[in-house]
Amino acid sequence: MTAKTGTHRTTPSTVLVLGATGKTGRRVVARLRDSAAVTVRPASRSGEVRFDWTLPETWEPALAGADALYLVAPDDPSPVREFVRQAEASGVRRFVVLSGHGIEKAGAEFGQGMAAAEAAVQETGAAWTLLRPNNFFQNFDED
């Protein structure tokens, strides 16, 4: 896995986790809940906090009070930049983006949402980390 990190450091107190019921999101939520240092806001289309990339009216309520964000981008890159702009404006000061290994070399048919998320958070004034895993062991032993 490759991780790239922006130069700013912050200690978040409320972390919004997008895709909180997914393969990585549910694990991030569990680990953060084990930490007494942060409050976790799990978000998904049908989760504790409602969030849907296709319904921008769900974005502001999900972002309320969050100062850090675990971002799993949709395949469609079109809503990503606006969402990241809104997240920063609402007070998010730290982004962690789940991306993919070699995304910077991927063609136009693969990873457009991930590439858009990487670019969008790098353009903010916030701290950021890009996670670029090659694969997940769970892909071989789950489902």
Side-chain angles (χ1 to χ4, degrees):
M1 175 173 63
T2 303
K4 296 177 80 175
T5 304
T7 57
H8 302 86
R9 296 247 181 235
T10 61
T11 303
S13 59
T14 300
V15 181
L16 174 64
V17 178
L18 299 185
T21 58
K23 190 170 296 263
T24 64
R26 69 178 185 256
R27 288 173 170 86
V28 170
V29 168
R31 292 288 172 104
L32 289 173
R33 283 188 169 155
D34 287 343
S35 170
V38 298
T39 300
V40 184
R41 299 195 68 220
S44 65
R45 286 183 299 247
S46 61
E48 295 174 36
V49 174
R50 189 151 192 279
F51 178 87
D52 189 323
W53 283 104
T54 65
L55 299 171
E57 62 271 17
T58 66
W59 300 357
E60 185 178 342
L63 288 164
D67 54 359
L69 171 62
Y70 178 72
L71 195 159
V72 180
D75 292 335
D76 175 8
S78 58
V80 174
R81 188 168 307 279
E82 177 58 27
F83 173 74
V84 168
R85 185 204 60 74
Q86 189 173 341
E88 185 179 29
S90 76
V92 172
R93 299 292 170 251
R94 175 96 181 128
F95 292 88
V96 175
V97 178
L98 178 63
S99 189
H101 180 72
I103 197 69
E104 72 281 6
K105 298 174 191 165
E109 71 283 351
F110 174 76
Q112 292 180 18
M114 290 184 280
E118 284 194 11
V121 301
Q122 289 178 33
E123 293 169 4
T124 69
W128 50 267
T129 299
L130 307 177
L131 301 176
R132 293 179 171 172
N134 183 38
N135 216 326
F136 296 102
F137 183 74
Q138 291 80 4
N139 290 344
F140 303 105
D141 74 346
E142 289 183 357
D143 302 326

